[in-house]
């Protein structure tokens, strides 16, 4: 080791030691002269607002007054760590000292930079916006008696009584415009008796503008509407509102326009200018060399007609008036096909005559790349002491038939080998591999049935898929699974998505069995039944709610629930021919089929606390009931728990069912599955440095059996055993967030084993503390 390298190490050690010494340093020694160090604020309301709008006003006012001091870590903890670093490292202009300053220092926040006088005025303006026209605000600076260079701010707020809307009237618009406003008044967001609220007034302007633009008023904008408020007409805190045209409202803004000719210009994939054209049902299509899009599809997308529920407005729309909603839907529909890499949809006047009331539709687009390839490589380490590489190669062809269809072929494979003794210490290696292929064809529309040929008023796709997978567990068994399905996906709103699979058929074939496997099957017949040859004919429905895409969502919610029915249609067919519905071992082509009902639900909630701090929560559960033709559900459908995305203090399949202690025998890990699943997780996420974040988490849950199993007597679900059979674990983690990718390392610490460990008390974990903890490395957040 060189002398210079040794000296650098000593320097870094000295710097790290110096950071701990910072705690004894002053936070005010490098303050600017004649400045007061800001230590925080306090709000005092003369009377707390009681109305719902008042609560919103209070929240907005507090946000306007809020300013995090530099004397608190993360804006919460009363530890001025960043200020300590600032005072002691501000002198460094380069080197490691400058790096520490840039990464860890927090600049001092002064009273003068907080600008309390401006914040006071903003608070008063917010009071007026929410109907507190007589509201007042004041502030005063309070010096710290122990350190006079430190000071806080106390804001005193008096909202007084709010004003309420007495009436709303429309005045000054053109007769036709006024007529539409009056006819749509029942959908108004402003109602007599509501508390005056500028936010609601702005939303009503947006609603009126959107309504008019959907009925042909192409040039209308929300800014063309303003309000007049009279607080004297009706005494006692009431407001008379009048919606009137803004000054300078142009004449064309109150004129309706109709849709005229449709012109389409399709450039080549490298931007080549169109050199040929074709007409289809009055639509002029210009393209380069070859038309890669079906004209009838273009016609349907561009001439998509959005009907409204209101009968009185439907007649107006049927005249092909311009519609802002229709324009947005056309753009979304064409973009969803993936045909074009660039697209621009415009509406232009047909001619320059003052009497012109017609807009031509002009679509300009550039063809996208027809093929896309993707290659993925990963390394897995499992709780079964298995490790090895895996790879995935995917090839997608877009616009297969000229209607936005996409065809995907995916190849995947992995190989795993034993990196330690097998469970139970048998010492034999258990190398495994699996490989699979899948092919899917997706149509950006609903097929079978087409419901009269009309386009849906929301994204809808149809996907057909075929797949096959070969799984080999050396020294154990080999299994082949293949099948196919047809799935419809619908997204009627931005937050709701429905997926319906009316046909899904999988065939599992147990190709090879070793003597070890036969031994296990003799002692545990349920495991063998779950893996034996069988058809799995199923129908599946899934609902997903996700409001994270909404602009005003502060704390997003993600909730997904699904229900699967397998084998029931086949059993009904047998029953129609006189076979009992609950008869066992009915088959198709000589092979039995599975029969079960399965329900799963998964709820996520992210509570953003500000300053990149967040509390993430998840609750998940599932039920699986096998009956009729088979009392044991297929192994691939059963629940398991534990691992990097579940209860992180326990390994994958390291829990359950119920109070059953994990097997120590050879290959015993394969049997840790169940029919009932309950899980709950909570995780506090906070920033550390730059893109590095920390986490503290608590996980709980387990799986159970619905039926009694003599091989696992503690595995059946019983309510009285629930408290002691819920596994509990905690831990800490580090995340490196690159926006597009998150690398995660979690250290899980078990707090309660759900089986009898022989120890008394709630903390009953067997073995030494360090040996029982689990280290999880994963990509992406757990939930």
């Amino acid at each position: 080791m060189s002398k210079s390298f040794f000296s650098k190490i000593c320097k870094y050690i000295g710097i790290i030691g110096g950071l701990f010494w910072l705690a004894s340093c002053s936070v005010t020694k490098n303050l600017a002269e004649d400045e007061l160090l800001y230590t925080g604020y306090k709000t005092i309301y003369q009377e707390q607002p009681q109305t719902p709008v008042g609560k919103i006003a209070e929240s907005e006012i507090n946000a306007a007054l809020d300013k995090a001091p530099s004397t608190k870590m993360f804006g919460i903890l009363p530890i001025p760590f960043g200020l300590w670093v600032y005072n002691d490292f501000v002198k460094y202009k380069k080197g490691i000292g400058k790096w520490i300053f840039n990464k860890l220092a927090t600049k001092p926040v002064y009273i003068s930079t907080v600008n309390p006088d401006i914040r006071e005025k903003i608070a008063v303006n917010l009071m007026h916006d929410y109907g507190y026209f007589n509201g007042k605000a004041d502030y005063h600076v309070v010096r710290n008696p122990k350190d006079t260079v430190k000071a806080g701010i106390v804001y005193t707020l008096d909202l007084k009584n709010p004003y309420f809307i007495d009436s709303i009237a429309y005045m000054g618009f053109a007769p036709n415009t006024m007529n539409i406003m009056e006819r749509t008044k029942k959908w108004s967001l402003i109602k007599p008796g509501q508390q005056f609220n500028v936010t609601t007034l702005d939303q009503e302007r947006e609603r009126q503008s959107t309504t008019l633009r959907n009925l042909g008023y192409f040039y209308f904008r929300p800014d063309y509407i303003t309000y007049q408020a009279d607080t004297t007409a009706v005494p006692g805190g009431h407001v008379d509102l009048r919606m009137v045209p803004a000054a300078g409202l142009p004449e064309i803004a109150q004129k309706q326009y109709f849709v005229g000719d449709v012109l389409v210009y399709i450039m080549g994939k490298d931007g080549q200018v169109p050199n040929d054209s074709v007409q289809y049902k009055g639509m002029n299509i210009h393209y380069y060399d070859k038309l890669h899009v079906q004209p009838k599809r273009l016609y349907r997308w561009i001439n998509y007609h959005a009907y409204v529920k209101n009968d009185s407005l439907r007649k107006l729309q049927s005249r092909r008036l311009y519609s802002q909603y229709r324009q947005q839907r056309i753009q979304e529909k064409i973009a969803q096909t993936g045909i074009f890499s660039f697209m621009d949809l415009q509406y232009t006047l047909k001619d320059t005559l003052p009497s012109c009331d017609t807009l031509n539709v002009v679509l300009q687009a550039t063809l996208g790349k027809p093929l896309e390839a993707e290659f993925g490589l990963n390394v897995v380490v499992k709780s079964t002491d298995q490790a090895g590489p895996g790879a995935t190669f995917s090839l997608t062809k877009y616009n297969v038939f000229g209607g936005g269809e996409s065809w995907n072929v995916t190849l995947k494979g992995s190989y795993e080998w034993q990196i330690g003794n097998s469970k139970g210490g048998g010492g034999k290696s258990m190398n495994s591999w699996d490989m699979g292929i899948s092919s899917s064809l997706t149509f950006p529309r609903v097929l079978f049935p087409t419901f009269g040929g009309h386009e849906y008023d929301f994204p809808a796709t149809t996907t057909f898929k075929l797949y096959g997978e070969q799984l080999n567990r050396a020294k154990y068994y080999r299994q082949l699974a293949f099948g196919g399905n047809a799935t419809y996906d619908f997204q009627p709103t931005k937050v709701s998505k429905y997926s319906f699979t009316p046909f899904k058929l999988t065939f599992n074939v147990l190709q090879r069995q070793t003597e070890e496997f036969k031994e296990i099957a003799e002692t545990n017949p349920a495991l063998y039944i779950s893996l034996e040859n069988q058809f799995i004919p199923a129908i599946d429905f899934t609902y997903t709610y996700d409001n994270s895409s909404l602009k005003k969502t502060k704390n997003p919610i993600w909730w997904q629930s699904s229900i699967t029915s397998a084998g029931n249609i086949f059993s009904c067919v047998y029953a129609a021919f006189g076979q009992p519905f609950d008869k066992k071992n009915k088959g198709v082509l000589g092979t039995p089929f599975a029969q079960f009902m399965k329900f799963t639900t998964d709820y996520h909630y992210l509570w953003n606390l500000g300053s990149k701090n967040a509390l993430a929560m998840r609750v998940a559960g599932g039920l699986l009931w096998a009956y009729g033709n088979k009392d044991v559900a297929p192994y691939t459908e059963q629940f398991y728990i534990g691992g990097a995305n579940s209860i992180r203090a326990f390994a994958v399949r390291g829990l359950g069912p119920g109070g059953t202690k994990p097997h120590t025998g050879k290959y015993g890990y394969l049997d840790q599955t169940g029919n009932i699943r309950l899980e709950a997780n909570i995780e506090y996420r906070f920033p550390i440095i730059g893109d590095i974040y920390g986490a503290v988490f608590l996980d709980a849950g387990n799986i159970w059996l619905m039926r009694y199993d003599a091989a696992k007597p503690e595995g059946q679900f019983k309510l009285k055993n629930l408290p002691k059979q819920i596994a509990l674990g905690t831990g800490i983690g580090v995340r490196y967030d690159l926006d597009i990718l998150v690398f995660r390392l979690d250290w899980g610490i078990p707090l309660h084993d759900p089986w009898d460990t022989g120890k008394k008390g709630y903390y009953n974990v067997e073995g030494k503390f360090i040996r029982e903890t689990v280290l999880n490395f994963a990509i992406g957040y757990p939930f």
Side-chain angles (χ1 to χ4, degrees), residues 367-397:
L367 286 171
K369 301 296 182 182
L371 291 174
E372 181 179 80
E374 185 176 353
F375 179 75
L377 184 66
N378 67 294
V379 177
V380 296
V381 179
K382 297 184 177 180
S383 65
T384 56
D385 290 333
Q386 295 288 118
T392 302
F393 177 74
S394 178
L395 183 67
T396 303
K397 178 176 174 56

Side-chain angles (χ1 to χ4, degrees), residues 439-449 459-467 484-490 497-505 538-543:
S439 178
S440 61
L441 181 62
T442 300
F443 296 81
R445 53 190 176 274
V446 172
L447 302 178
F448 316 121
T461 61
T462 305
T463 302
F464 301 100
K465 184 176 182 180
L466 295 174
Y467 51 87
N485 61 57
T487 301
Y488 296 100
D489 291 306
F490 308 92
K497 181 180 178 180
Y498 301 88
S499 182
F500 176 54
T501 303
F503 175 80
K504 181 180 180 181
L505 182 62
I539 298 174
D540 181 85
F541 176 79
T542 300
Y543 170 74

Side-chain angles (χ1 to χ4, degrees), residues 12 372 505 604 615 668 700:
Y12 293 154
E372 181 179 80
L505 182 62
H604 300 184
L615 198 63

Side-chain angles (χ1 to χ4, degrees), residues 334-365:
I334 297 177
Q336 289 161 8
T337 65
I339 297 175
F340 306 112
S341 60
F342 167 80
M343 184 192 68
D344 181 44
L345 183 66
Q346 295 184 356
Y347 288 74
T348 61
L349 286 170
K350 189 171 185 177
D351 57 55
T352 58
L353 295 176
S355 60
C356 179
D357 64 352
T358 303
L359 301 170
N360 285 341
V361 183
V362 181
L363 172 66
Q364 294 183 333

Side-chain angles (χ1 to χ4, degrees), residues 554-557 604-608 614-617 683 685:
K554 181 181 178 181
N555 303 313
I557 293 173
H604 300 184
Y605 179 74
L606 184 64
W607 183 13
N608 287 300
L615 198 63
M617 292 165 274
E683 178 174 286
R685 300 168 182 171

Side-chain angles (χ1 to χ4, degrees), residues 240-508:
D240 268 352
L241 275 181
R242 291 185 292 272
M243 181 182 287
V244 297
L249 173 65
E251 184 179 346
I252 59 173
Q254 296 193 80
K255 181 178 180 179
Q256 289 179 301
Y257 288 84
F258 297 85
V259 176
D261 299 332
V262 178
L263 305 173
V264 180
Y265 298 89
I266 302 177
M267 270 63 78
K269 62 182 180 180
D270 296 319
Q272 297 94 332
V273 177
N275 56 13
D276 206 345
S277 64
V278 67
Q279 282 197 349
Y280 181 82
K281 293 186 178 181
M283 182 172 60
N284 297 307
I285 306 173
H286 302 264
Y287 57 92
Y288 173 74
D289 277 357
K290 181 181 179 181
L291 183 58
H292 294 275
V293 186
Q294 296 179 31
K296 68 176 182 179
R297 293 297 168 196
L298 277 174
Y299 181 84
R300 287 185 61 176
W301 296 330
I302 295 176
N303 287 276
Y304 158 75
H305 191 81
Y307 291 98
V308 294
K309 294 182 179 180
N310 185 275
D311 293 334
S312 61
L313 299 183
R314 185 180 298 145
K315 183 178 179 181
L316 289 173
Q317 279 204 342
S318 65
R319 296 176 58 200
R320 295 290 292 155
L321 284 167
Y322 164 79
S323 168
Q324 172 184 282
Y325 179 78
R326 187 186 300 118
Q327 179 182 357
Q328 293 172 346
R329 293 298 298 120
I330 291 171
Q331 291 173 316
E332 292 171 1
K333 280 181 174 292
I334 297 177
Q336 289 161 8
T337 65
I339 297 175
F340 306 112
S341 60
F342 167 80
M343 184 192 68
D344 181 44
L345 183 66
Q346 295 184 356
Y347 288 74
T348 61
L349 286 170
K350 189 171 185 177
D351 57 55
T352 58
L353 295 176
S355 60
C356 179
D357 64 352
T358 303
L359 301 170
N360 285 341
V361 183
V362 181
L363 172 66
Q364 294 183 333
T366 302
L367 286 171
K369 301 296 182 182
L371 291 174
E372 181 179 80
E374 185 176 353
F375 179 75
L377 184 66
N378 67 294
V379 177
V380 296
V381 179
K382 297 184 177 180
S383 65
T384 56
D385 290 333
Q386 295 288 118
T392 302
F393 177 74
S394 178
L395 183 67
T396 303
K397 178 176 174 56
Y398 295 102
N399 198 32
V400 179
F401 306 120
E405 305 83 3
S406 61
W407 178 42
N408 173 269
V409 176
T410 299
L411 301 173
K412 67 175 183 178
S414 66
Y415 185 79
E416 301 170 0
W417 59 84
Q418 197 81 30
I419 58 174
N421 290 333
S422 62
K423 301 241 177 190
K428 292 185 179 181
S429 64
M430 183 180 151
N431 297 345
S432 304
W433 55 263
D434 71 85
M435 58 183 179
I437 182 173
S438 65
S439 178
S440 61
L441 181 62
T442 300
F443 296 81
R445 53 190 176 274
V446 172
L447 302 178
F448 316 121
T450 59
F451 297 106
H454 290 294
E455 292 287 336
Y456 276 87
D457 191 21
F458 46 78
T461 61
T462 305
T463 302
F464 301 100
K465 184 176 182 180
L466 295 174
Y467 51 87
E469 183 173 3
Q470 179 76 70
L471 177 66
N472 182 74
R473 292 291 181 253
K475 309 290 185 181
Y476 194 26
Y477 72 91
R478 180 181 296 173
Q479 187 180 50
L480 173 66
F482 60 90
N485 61 57
T487 301
Y488 296 100
D489 291 306
F490 308 92
Q491 189 168 356
T493 68
K494 290 184 178 180
V495 299
S496 295
K497 181 180 178 180
Y498 301 88
S499 182
F500 176 54
T501 303
F503 175 80
K504 181 180 180 181
L505 182 62
T506 303
F507 185 38
N508 292 339

Side-chain angles (χ1 to χ4, degrees), residues 152-167:
I153 302 173
V154 176
Y155 296 96
T156 303
L157 305 161
D158 187 3
L159 275 66
K160 298 187 182 299
N161 293 325
Y163 277 71
F164 294 87
I165 296 172
D166 183 74
S167 61

Side-chain angles (χ1 to χ4, degrees), residues 76-334:
I76 301 175
L77 301 177
I79 303 173
F81 178 79
L83 209 51
W84 290 335
V85 177
Y86 176 87
N87 283 315
D88 282 83
F89 285 84
V90 68
K91 60 187 177 183
Y92 291 98
K93 303 301 179 183
K94 59 181 180 179
I96 187 68
K98 182 64 175 178
W99 182 86
I100 291 176
F101 179 81
N102 291 336
K103 294 294 183 180
L104 301 179
T106 301
K107 292 182 179 180
V109 178
Y110 301 116
I111 292 288
S112 61
T113 60
V114 175
N115 297 314
D117 52 340
I118 295 178
R119 293 177 187 272
E120 173 200 312
K121 294 176 182 177
I122 294 174
V124 173
N125 290 336
L126 285 170
M127 292 179 192
H128 294 171
D129 288 346
Y130 287 95
Y132 296 94
F133 296 133
N134 299 320
K136 295 180 180 180
D138 194 9
Y139 78 92
H140 60 280
V141 176
V142 181
R143 289 179 181 255
N144 189 325
K146 297 181 180 180
D147 193 343
T148 56
V149 296
K150 296 180 181 179
I153 302 173
V154 176
Y155 296 96
T156 303
L157 305 161
D158 187 3
L159 275 66
K160 298 187 182 299
N161 293 325
Y163 277 71
F164 294 87
I165 296 172
D166 183 74
S167 61
I168 174 72
Y170 308 111
M171 302 176 63
F173 294 97
N176 196 35
T177 306
M178 190 88 72
N179 182 36
I180 293 175
M181 289 182 170
E182 290 289 349
R183 290 161 61 188
T184 61
K185 189 175 182 178
K186 62 181 178 181
W187 294 300
S188 174
L189 302 177
I190 304 173
K191 305 288 185 183
Q194 287 181 342
Q195 183 172 335
F196 182 90
N197 181 354
V198 168
T199 302
T200 305
L201 267 58
D202 288 339
Q203 292 172 348
E204 175 61 12
R205 290 199 311 170
E206 289 281 352
R207 188 195 69 82
Q208 288 283 12
S209 176
T210 300
T211 299
L212 291 169
R213 284 178 57 81
N214 285 337
L215 293 171
Y217 291 82
F218 177 74
Y219 291 102
F220 204 93
R221 299 292 182 270
D223 294 342
Y224 294 155
I225 298 176
T226 188
Y227 293 95
Q228 295 176 350
D230 187 352
T231 59
T232 62
V234 182
H238 290 82
V239 181
D240 268 352
L241 275 181
R242 291 185 292 272
M243 181 182 287
V244 297
L249 173 65
E251 184 179 346
I252 59 173
Q254 296 193 80
K255 181 178 180 179
Q256 289 179 301
Y257 288 84
F258 297 85
V259 176
D261 299 332
V262 178
L263 305 173
V264 180
Y265 298 89
I266 302 177
M267 270 63 78
K269 62 182 180 180
D270 296 319
Q272 297 94 332
V273 177
N275 56 13
D276 206 345
S277 64
V278 67
Q279 282 197 349
Y280 181 82
K281 293 186 178 181
M283 182 172 60
N284 297 307
I285 306 173
H286 302 264
Y287 57 92
Y288 173 74
D289 277 357
K290 181 181 179 181
L291 183 58
H292 294 275
V293 186
Q294 296 179 31
K296 68 176 182 179
R297 293 297 168 196
L298 277 174
Y299 181 84
R300 287 185 61 176
W301 296 330
I302 295 176
N303 287 276
Y304 158 75
H305 191 81
Y307 291 98
V308 294
K309 294 182 179 180
N310 185 275
D311 293 334
S312 61
L313 299 183
R314 185 180 298 145
K315 183 178 179 181
L316 289 173
Q317 279 204 342
S318 65
R319 296 176 58 200
R320 295 290 292 155
L321 284 167
Y322 164 79
S323 168
Q324 172 184 282
Y325 179 78
R326 187 186 300 118
Q327 179 182 357
Q328 293 172 346
R329 293 298 298 120
I330 291 171
Q331 291 173 316
E332 292 171 1
K333 280 181 174 292
I334 297 177

